Amino acid sequence: MTAAAWPGCHGVRTLGTDANIGTSLGTPLTEVEIVVDVVDPEPGETVWTLADAGTSQRLVRAPNGTVTLWAADHPRLTISSDRGRVTVDPPLDALRSQLISSFALPHVAAERGALVFHGAAAARDGAAVLITGHGGAGKSSSLVGLTDAGWVPLSEDVSVVDLARDMPHVWPGPPWVRRRSGEHHPEACGRRVMRSEEHT
């Protein structure tokens, strides 16, 4: 009997709006509803900021636990305090799909006990390799090289490792991998088919 695929990545099943971020197999870590609507942020404390190449981002945590990601001084998405709902501002384009897959779902997975890190992952023959390093160190280039050598790319920018199993399990990320420097979202990326094998 073949297990049914469910929408989502990084071990998080998505409900509601299809965010076009791939499908996975197996028992998910958790699930979250995706809603496309105007993001109404609650006031709170800025917990981190990032300014890079003319773009600024900041994460604000409200006293009730709600988390809002701001980009270019606009609230782009909110994760509810119970981590059961992600609201993303319209339209649901490639950039917002990337925010959901690279920020919101890993955040939800981390809240459920998964190890989340900035890095890439590839698999072959039931084993996985994790690639970490500072920005610009060559993580994506290494992943492309491994893919060209026959490895299956699991995740490029953020990787989620489920530690609650007998053996650690690397969950597939969204079904795209950058092929060139400067590509940052699904429209610019080479599509790949999500593999369903379990990688430990």
Side-chain angles (χ1 to χ4, degrees):
M1 179 178 196
T2 304
W6 41 265
C9 62
H10 296 306
V12 181
R13 179 190 344 233
T14 58
L15 308 171
T17 303
D18 181 6
N20 192 28
I21 55 175
T23 58
S24 296
L25 292 174
T27 303
L29 292 167
T30 191
E31 57 189 26
V32 67
E33 179 184 15
I34 305 294
V35 176
V36 180
D37 198 358
V38 174
V39 174
D40 186 20
E42 297 186 34
E45 175 186 2
T46 298
V47 293
W48 63 255
T49 60
L50 171 68
D52 184 23
T55 305
S56 64
Q57 294 180 357
R58 64 188 166 109
L59 183 70
V60 175
R61 183 182 307 270
N64 69 358
T66 299
V67 176
T68 303
L69 178 66
W70 291 71
D73 295 323
H74 297 287
R76 298 298 182 194
L77 67 80
T78 297
I79 304 170
S80 65
S81 59
D82 66 358
R83 306 305 182 244
R85 182 180 204 173
V86 172
T87 303
V88 61
D89 69 324
L92 184 56
D93 57 8
L95 176 61
R96 283 152 181 91
S97 290
Q98 183 185 11
L99 289 176
I100 291 168
S101 64
S102 297
F103 173 76
L105 298 189
H107 186 87
V108 170
E111 291 284 332
R112 299 298 188 255
L115 172 64
V116 177
F117 66 94
H118 176 215
R124 186 167 67 185
D125 301 328
V129 62
L130 308 175
I131 307 162
T132 63
H134 295 287
K139 296 179 298 296
S140 294
S141 298
S142 296
L143 181 62
V144 168
L146 286 169
T147 301
D148 290 344
W151 287 71
V152 176
L154 293 178
S155 192
E156 179 192 357
D157 193 45
V158 176
S159 292
V160 173
V161 182
D162 182 354
L163 300 174
R165 300 173 180 231
D166 292 340
M167 293 287 293
H169 174 83
V170 181
W171 279 100
W176 54 77
V177 174
R178 283 183 290 192
R179 299 302 292 189
R180 290 175 293 284
S181 177
E183 294 177 338
H184 294 292
H185 54 78
E187 286 180 350
C189 301
R191 302 296 291 181
R192 68 172 170 84
V193 175
M194 186 75 70
R195 294 296 185 101
S196 62
E197 297 90 354
E198 296 208 358
H199 305 287
T200 55

